[in-house]
Amino acid sequence: MLLFTLLVCFGSCVLGQLEESQFGDDLDSDLTDFDLDIAPRRVPRQVKSILTKETKPHIQELSIKTTVISRYAFTAVFCTMLNRHSAASEGVFQFQIPAAAYVSNFTMIIGGRVYQSEVKPKEKKVRQEKGENGKPKNKESGDTSAESEVEVFRMAVSIPGRNRAFFLLTYEELLQRRLGRYEHVTSLRPLQLVSRLSLEVTIVDHSPITHLEVLPLRNGKSNSAAAVGPSGPNAKAAAKPEPPATTVVNRTNSNFCKITFGPNIVQQAKITTNGILGDFVIRYDVEREMGIGDIQVLNGHFVHYFAPKDLPVVPKNVVFVIDTSASMLGTKIRQTKDALFTILRDLRPDDHFNFISFSSKIKVWQPNRLVPVTPLNIRDAKKFIYTLVPTGGTNIDGAIQTGSTLLGDYLSGPDAIPNSVSLIIFLTDGRPTVGEIRSPAILGNTRSAVQEKFCIFTIGIGNDVDYRLLERMALENCGMMRRIREDSDASSMLKGFYDEIGTPLLSDIRINYTEDSVQYVTQHLFTNYFNGTEIVIAGKLTNQSADSLHVQVTASNSDKSIILETDVPLRQRQAETEKHVKAVKAAAAATARAKAKAPGTGVTPGSGITPGSVAEDFVERVWGFLSVKDGLRSRLRSQTSKDREDHTQKVANLSLTYHFLTPLTSLVVEKPEVLADGTMAPAPTPAADTNKAPSSSVNELPDDMEEDAVQSLGGKTPGSQSNTHSKMMGKVERRQVKKSITITKTSADGDPHFVVEFPLSKLTVCFNINGEPGHILRLVSDHKYSGVTVNGKLIGAPAPPGSHKQQRTYFSTITIVVDRPKRAYIEVTPKKVILDGRDRMVLPCDSTVAVDSGALSVSIVGKSNVTVTIGGTISFVILVHHYKNPAPYQRDHLGFYISKSKGLSHNCHGLLGQFLYENVGLAELPVDSSAQGEIKPTPVLKVKDRSVPVVQKTRRIYSGTQSVDCWFARNNAAKLIDGQYEDYLMSHMFHTGDWPHGTNRA
């Protein structure tokens, strides 16, 4: 778990009621740098004084935007930090995120340079059982069950004098339903007054939203859902809490709502001047479908939400095992007693219960039995609780063994009620100090005693608890673990935890789907279902063209077995989910338009992941999210090193695939360098090779790229190199990382050299196009379907001395035209980028900026590359090659790479586009290759119905930083490409005509 590193800024004074008479003009001129969203004359003197006395970089903007689509929440945090002073200063960006969430991106722009994080597999370390203080280290747990806790993402960087730093953090989580409500929490703790603070939460759900409330800002002890008590239909009538001032709730229809919160700097100061506003909490619920629940289908994946209602309550058998060691003295034992008194009142007549207290000794209230809920037994239980006195050590193992024996004997006796739910609620504030103190032995003893007959729910209070032990104990015995912080209201949180599990409705739940129709289904067997919660299952469909999916739910209720069955119409659900996704994308587009109209620079660092793109894949991301959670739980329960390693590998691969920062991956980001004079250090460049070229640059291509050596057929077979991504919930490492973007091999770069990657065939093919200066080549043509067209213009240069070519050609201009939702284009040259979307902008290629312009967004890394993103599903990367002192045969030019092609249709064409969805095969044909008639096998590439002779070569791509083995097609790619070279020549840079010809079949 990440540690809280909260900084107390400017003291703990609260401004309270600010008087308008405190205004003054003497400080107004000092507020220019702060870029306030309020006139300086309206800022009270006390606030002005706080701002002008700041020594650390000031947060000019903190913008938090969350999109919740069918309970899957995607949050983007954008922060602008200004160093007003001439000397460099350390800026600390930190943000609290829910413990159950996974970070999915982190980007910085400092001193005009982009620093994009990468997620990599976590390096294995030598295991240490104890830290320097002799206590076990607080390691990251497999599944962060302590949702009342948060993780703190923290990055400290040096910001050059009189400069800004931009930070972008994104994270994702699946909201959990508790006590009949989903709760979304956003931490607002910037630790200082912020010039422009805004929060926007958009909720779009397939089911109608039946309840929505925004709570007052939550801070201090009552920081959990339990603290406020149940809010379901049976809750007692209470005054409706008022949302924070400036909160606006907009509900356009029953499935959509938007909540905004934007206090200006004076309104923030009325809450607090230290920047710790608290948690912005939204609670909501949706309408429930009767029967098997709600199933959503999208892009070959499904997610199943199951939350039945109006069922009779199942009787429960519960044993409370309470720590009464000396460390519980004072507030802890008092709050624990208060909670137990309340819980006793909530026990139902059909329940049976008992109490065990433990320290060095173990006491059982009613030995050898569980007693029914009667007024007399409740009175006697209260007496037992009242007389509990903390003393002695902590015998965890003995307490669990005693409770397990007590409950096990009752269940095997004649008084046990059939189909009842049995559980132990175990509470402690410390580590084992008496009896068995080794965690593996305690866990083994617990498994042997429980024997899968009942569940154990564990609760830890304070900071001196072995939470890993409590979590494994709960997970291995079908329970949950809850953490209560030292300064929290333990009484209300204990009561809230009991409310969650105190009303069982079903047991032994099994959810099955049509055999051979699904695969990789997440957890689908559940021991219990409690009222007010929800079961969520996700999986992959093996046959996306199937008409229906048979779903069967079996479970036990208090007096009978329940079987629910139905056939889910997959195509109908797919259409409904797609409609749902369109609503999210429309909301995201409206937000982008509103932001574009608002005053400001309009320049922000791009995340690469947007609410719109997440919506298009949200079902798959839910599957990935749940699969990672399941894998981490299985890893934590592993009994052998092999099982643990298998689960570790599986979770790590999933984390990399979905770019999740999990306990098995780490986040790596380049560390900016600031010189002693407060300026940025020059960007690192590779050392020049004087033997190859008279000039070099970051993206310079070696001049011998076209002189690739032909290899023998027995050499290495060309293939595709895997491109992995990953993420982890842990501390941020800062390392020097040269690569800041992710691109595929499919490209046109250099003279120009074309490379095409065929992932399904595990082959890479390359070819040259020997065009003429001034020719305009069609690279990607999908105008009729996705509305995207890419054209490239050639420029000429003399051939280098000794070359077999008469001239060289490069791409001098690349134009990307987008025709949906309305026409826009980007024109890139080595010197500038012209973006014509909502407005026309001209951006220099030597600056580092990012601009979102409706359908198009562009991110420029100065003197390096330009990334163009279209709708979140299509991305192109254009490398900018500059020569400081070019030789006669060198020209500044561009390289074109396809980064993401998911949004391009299967009908896509162009010199590169025609291969995006093709499969190719490699064969050997006998060819008479000598005067003596000798027959030698010759490699032939099978493309569509054509046979293309090829030879092996090695190409250098990515500015010469990587070599790729490929199968080379000669003669201007004759037979490899559809038609002839001339068919790809366009009349102008903005030509978007469709491919007019058939294929050139052999």
Side-chain angles (χ1 to χ4, degrees):
M1 303 288 288
L2 297 180
L3 301 178
F4 285 95
T5 53
L6 299 179
L7 307 176
V8 180
C9 301
F10 320 123
S12 58
C13 60
V14 177
L15 195 61
Q17 297 296 321
L18 299 173
E19 300 295 335
E20 295 289 332
S21 61
Q22 291 179 308
F23 298 160
D25 297 329
D26 54 333
L27 294 176
D28 288 358
S29 60
D30 297 332
L31 299 181
T32 305
D33 287 341
F34 292 97
D35 196 16
L36 301 177
D37 58 357
I38 185 174
R41 63 181 179 79
R42 299 188 60 193
V43 178
R45 181 179 297 275
Q46 186 177 353
V47 175
K48 293 178 181 178
S49 177
I50 291 173
L51 292 176
T52 56
K53 290 180 180 178
E54 284 182 354
T55 58
K56 297 180 179 180
H58 174 72
I59 299 177
Q60 286 186 315
E61 180 179 1
L62 180 61
S63 172
I64 305 153
K65 289 182 170 59
T66 296
T67 300
V68 184
I69 175 170
S70 286
R71 300 141 235 186
Y72 191 70
F74 171 82
T75 300
V77 182
F78 173 63
C79 175
T80 303
M81 202 173 289
L82 170 69
N83 179 9
R84 300 186 299 120
H85 308 287
S86 57
S89 180
E90 183 181 67
V92 178
F93 169 77
Q94 71 176 35
F95 195 84
Q96 293 184 4
I97 66 176
Y102 291 142
V103 169
S104 52
N105 178 72
F106 178 64
T107 304
M108 301 184 296
I109 297 182
I110 300 174
R113 298 178 195 160
V114 176
Y115 299 89
Q116 177 70 50
S117 65
E118 292 184 273
V119 179
K120 296 185 176 182
K122 203 172 188 180
E123 295 180 0
K124 292 185 178 181
K125 296 182 179 180
V126 178
R127 184 176 179 181
Q128 288 182 311
E129 289 294 335
K130 295 187 177 182
E132 294 178 356
N133 59 358
K135 296 180 180 180
K137 285 191 172 183
N138 183 18
K139 298 181 181 178
E140 199 71 49
S141 62
D143 175 58
T144 311
S145 300
E147 287 85 352
S148 60
E149 287 294 300
V150 293
E151 305 284 358
V152 178
F153 184 96
R154 186 177 189 273
M155 170 59 74
V157 293
S158 186
I159 303 176
R162 304 295 300 175
N163 218 315
R164 287 183 175 87
F166 302 91
F167 304 92
L168 180 68
L169 174 72
T170 64
Y171 60 87
E172 303 172 36
E173 65 173 320
L174 179 65
L175 301 185
Q176 297 183 15
R177 188 169 184 257
R178 292 179 179 168
L179 303 174
R181 299 288 183 263
Y182 301 101
E183 183 173 279
H184 182 269
V185 180
T186 305
S187 175
L188 298 175
R189 293 174 173 83
L191 305 180
Q192 61 173 261
L193 297 175
V194 178
S195 296
R196 298 186 305 279
L197 174 64
S198 64
L199 169 67
E200 178 184 295
V201 180
T202 301
I203 301 174
V204 183
D205 206 285
H206 177 257
S207 303
I209 300 171
T210 57
H211 171 90
L212 177 70
E213 63 176 332
V214 181
L215 304 184
L217 289 173
R218 193 167 68 189
N219 217 330
K221 293 184 178 182
S222 59
N223 68 336
S224 76
V228 190
S231 55
N234 298 325
K236 294 181 180 179
K240 186 176 180 180
E242 290 294 328
T246 76
T247 300
V248 177
V249 179
N250 179 21
R251 298 191 65 172
T252 56
N253 57 59
S254 61
N255 300 88
F256 175 92
C257 69
K258 179 183 290 185
I259 301 100
T260 59
F261 175 62
N264 61 37
I265 201 163
V266 177
Q267 292 165 329
Q268 295 171 46
K270 288 183 178 180
I271 301 171
T272 178
T273 56
N274 63 12
I276 304 178
L277 301 178
D279 293 327
F280 191 91
V281 183
I282 300 171
R283 286 192 186 144
Y284 75 97
D285 198 20
V286 299
E287 189 174 292
R288 302 283 147 196
E289 288 191 12
M290 300 300 290
I292 58 100
D294 179 21
I295 294 181
Q296 299 186 37
V297 180
L298 190 66
N299 299 334
H301 292 77
F302 74 91
V303 58
H304 183 185
Y305 303 96
F306 181 62
K309 59 180 181 179
D310 301 328
L311 295 172
V313 177
V314 177
K316 62 180 177 293
N317 312 304
V318 56
V319 177
F320 298 91
V321 182
I322 308 301
D323 186 348
T324 56
S325 60
S327 57
M328 288 285 291
L329 189 65
T331 302
K332 291 179 184 176
I333 193 65
R334 176 178 57 79
Q335 292 183 342
T336 299
K337 289 181 179 181
D338 290 343
L340 293 176
F341 289 147
T342 305
I343 290 171
L344 280 173
R345 293 197 299 267
D346 291 343
L347 290 174
R348 292 181 171 82
D350 291 335
D351 294 341
H352 288 72
F353 70 105
N354 204 338
F355 283 93
I356 296 174
S357 66
F358 72 95
S359 54
S360 299
K361 298 180 180 180
I362 299 171
K363 296 180 181 179
V364 181
W365 169 51
Q366 296 287 344
N368 305 319
R369 63 178 183 149
L370 268 65
V371 300
V373 177
T374 64
L376 181 61
N377 287 335
I378 295 295
R379 185 194 67 183
D380 290 346
K382 289 182 177 179
K383 290 181 181 179
F384 176 78
I385 294 170
Y386 184 79
T387 59
L388 295 178
V389 178
T391 182
T394 308
N395 188 353
I396 290 179
D397 184 63
I400 287 292
Q401 296 304 305
T402 301
S404 299
T405 301
L406 183 67
L407 187 53
D409 290 347
Y410 171 78
L411 293 176
S412 60
D415 298 330
I417 300 177
N419 294 330
S420 58
V421 170
S422 301
L423 49 96
I424 289 177
I425 298 179
F426 177 87
L427 180 146
T428 183
D429 76 330
R431 303 170 182 273
T433 60
V434 177
E436 181 60 71
I437 63 173
R438 296 172 302 156
S439 294
I442 294 174
L443 293 171
N445 293 340
T446 302
R447 287 193 300 272
S448 299
V450 173
Q451 295 181 353
E452 299 183 352
K453 294 179 180 178
F454 46 86
C455 301
I456 298 180
F457 295 82
T458 59
I459 304 168
I461 302 179
N463 301 323
D464 193 34
V465 179
D466 187 348
Y467 284 105
R468 184 175 179 83
L469 170 63
L470 294 189
E471 185 165 39
R472 287 199 62 178
M473 185 182 296
L475 291 178
E476 291 179 359
N477 299 282
C478 66
M480 296 186 299
M481 186 270 287
R482 185 60 48 84
R483 174 184 301 210
I484 300 177
R485 294 190 307 178
E486 194 78 45
D487 60 345
S488 298
D489 183 353
S491 179
S492 62
M493 295 187 71
L494 282 171
K495 178 60 172 60
F497 185 57
Y498 175 78
D499 287 340
E500 291 181 39
I501 62 176
T503 310
L505 300 182
L506 295 174
S507 61
D508 301 323
I509 305 103
R510 177 186 293 268
I511 303 179
N512 294 320
Y513 305 92
T514 308
E515 191 174 357
D516 299 330
S517 293
V518 298
Q519 61 180 347
Y520 305 118
V521 176
T522 58
Q523 180 185 351
H524 61 104
L525 303 176
F526 302 87
T527 305
N528 299 303
Y529 166 73
F530 298 101
N531 187 40
T533 61
E534 182 176 59
I535 291 174
V536 184
I537 306 161
K540 290 186 176 184
L541 298 172
T542 55
N543 182 9
Q544 297 187 37
S545 62
D547 292 329
S548 64
L549 176 68
H550 186 75
V551 182
Q552 181 189 67
V553 179
T554 61
S556 296
N557 190 248
S558 56
D559 57 352
K560 60 184 177 181
S561 295
I562 296 176
I563 300 178
L564 303 173
E565 290 187 88
T566 191
D567 290 317
V568 177
L570 292 179
R571 295 181 182 178
Q572 176 186 337
R573 295 300 173 92
Q574 170 93 11
E576 292 173 354
T577 309
E578 288 174 349
K579 181 180 178 182
H580 186 190
V581 168
K582 287 181 180 178
V584 175
K585 296 177 68 175
T591 299
R593 287 193 297 270
K595 182 177 180 181
K597 294 178 181 178
T601 62
V603 179
T604 60
S607 67
I609 305 176
T610 64
S613 64
V614 169
E616 291 177 343
D617 294 319
F618 90 92
V619 176
E620 180 179 350
R621 295 190 77 83
V622 170
W623 174 81
F625 185 93
L626 289 175
S627 296
V628 169
K629 293 287 185 183
D630 285 354
L632 289 172
R633 282 193 290 264
S634 298
R635 177 176 178 266
L636 200 61
R637 291 193 297 258
S638 298
Q639 302 301 314
T640 66
S641 58
K642 184 181 184 304
D643 284 345
R644 181 180 176 84
E645 183 59 33
D646 290 344
H647 290 305
T648 298
Q649 189 63 45
K650 175 185 175 183
V651 172
N653 290 340
L654 283 169
S655 302
L656 298 176
T657 300
Y658 291 97
H659 219 227
F660 288 150
L661 186 60
T662 70
L664 301 182
T665 51
S666 59
L667 189 69
V668 180
V669 63
E670 183 180 355
K671 180 180 179 181
E673 293 186 33
V674 178
L675 302 178
D677 61 359
T679 61
M680 291 287 292
T685 58
D689 187 344
T690 56
N691 295 326
K692 286 190 176 182
S695 171
S696 65
S697 70
V698 175
N699 281 339
E700 179 183 336
L701 297 176
D703 294 317
D704 59 352
M705 284 185 64
E706 68 271 30
E707 305 297 335
D708 300 320
V710 178
Q711 301 177 351
S712 65
L713 188 62
K716 179 181 176 182
T717 302
S720 63
Q721 180 176 339
S722 62
N723 214 348
T724 57
H725 301 272
S726 62
K727 292 220 166 199
M728 163 203 135
M729 184 79 58
K731 63 184 179 182
V732 178
E733 301 174 10
R734 295 182 293 179
R735 301 177 185 170
Q736 293 291 343
V737 179
K738 293 182 179 179
K739 187 178 70 173
S740 59
I741 54 175
T742 301
I743 49 183
T744 66
K745 298 186 183 73
T746 301
S747 58
D749 207 344
D751 191 15
H753 305 295
F754 287 73
V755 176
V756 178
E757 189 177 16
F758 296 89
L760 296 178
S761 307
K762 296 183 179 181
L763 292 173
T764 302
V765 177
C766 50
F767 59 95
N768 293 344
I769 292 295
N770 298 318
E772 295 295 327
H775 279 183
I776 298 173
L777 304 183
R778 171 64 49 82
L779 301 179
V780 176
S781 177
D782 199 34
H783 173 75
K784 186 176 179 180
Y785 300 93
S786 66
V788 175
T789 303
V790 182
N791 296 323
K793 185 176 183 179
L794 297 177
I795 188 175
S803 173
H804 64 277
K805 293 186 177 182
Q806 295 182 349
Q807 67 174 355
R808 307 180 79 179
T809 52
Y810 307 91
F811 283 118
S812 64
T813 307
I814 289 177
T815 301
I816 301 170
V817 181
V818 179
D819 221 31
R820 293 174 189 165
K822 62 179 182 179
R823 190 174 178 88
Y825 74 87
I826 290 181
E827 183 176 351
V828 182
T829 71
K831 291 186 177 181
K832 63 184 178 182
V833 175
I834 300 174
L835 171 60
D836 195 335
R838 284 189 298 259
D839 301 298
R840 180 180 172 87
M841 287 180 280
V842 180
L843 307 171
C845 283
D846 59 358
S847 64
T848 297
V849 307
V851 178
D852 189 355
S853 180
L856 288 173
S857 63
V858 58
S859 175
I860 304 175
V861 180
K863 299 180 180 179
S864 180
N865 59 73
V866 178
T867 300
V868 179
T869 303
I870 304 165
T873 59
I874 303 172
S875 293
F876 305 121
V877 177
I878 301 169
L879 300 189
V880 181
H881 303 291
H882 280 289
Y883 297 91
K884 293 180 181 178
N885 301 297
Y889 54 87
Q890 293 176 325
R891 295 288 187 272
D892 290 348
H893 63 281
L894 305 172
F896 176 77
Y897 291 76
I898 297 179
S899 176
K900 184 187 295 185
S901 60
K902 184 174 181 180
L904 295 172
S905 75
H906 285 255
N907 296 298
C908 185
H909 212 270
L911 286 169
L912 289 175
Q914 64 186 292
F915 300 113
L916 292 178
Y917 296 98
E918 283 293 335
N919 286 330
V920 298
L922 189 66
E924 292 184 352
L925 297 180
V927 176
D928 185 355
S929 59
S930 67
Q932 291 77 24
E934 182 180 357
I935 303 298
K936 289 186 177 181
T938 298
V940 174
L941 203 65
K942 294 290 186 178
V943 182
K944 299 181 180 178
D945 294 333
R946 304 188 292 267
S947 297
V948 185
V950 291
V951 295
Q952 278 190 284
K953 282 194 176 185
T954 298
R955 276 277 159 84
R956 296 172 71 179
I957 57 176
Y958 306 163
S959 303
T961 61
Q962 182 176 330
S963 296
V964 55
D965 295 330
C966 59
W967 294 102
F968 179 73
R970 301 178 183 273
N971 302 326
N972 246 20
K975 293 189 176 182
L976 176 66
I977 60 175
D978 293 338
Q980 306 297 328
Y981 163 76
E982 291 75 17
D983 296 329
Y984 297 86
L985 297 181
M986 301 295 109
S987 59
H988 57 84
M989 289 298 295
F990 303 96
H991 192 285
T992 59
D994 294 323
W995 173 251
H997 305 291
T999 59
N1000 176 27
R1001 303 194 180 277

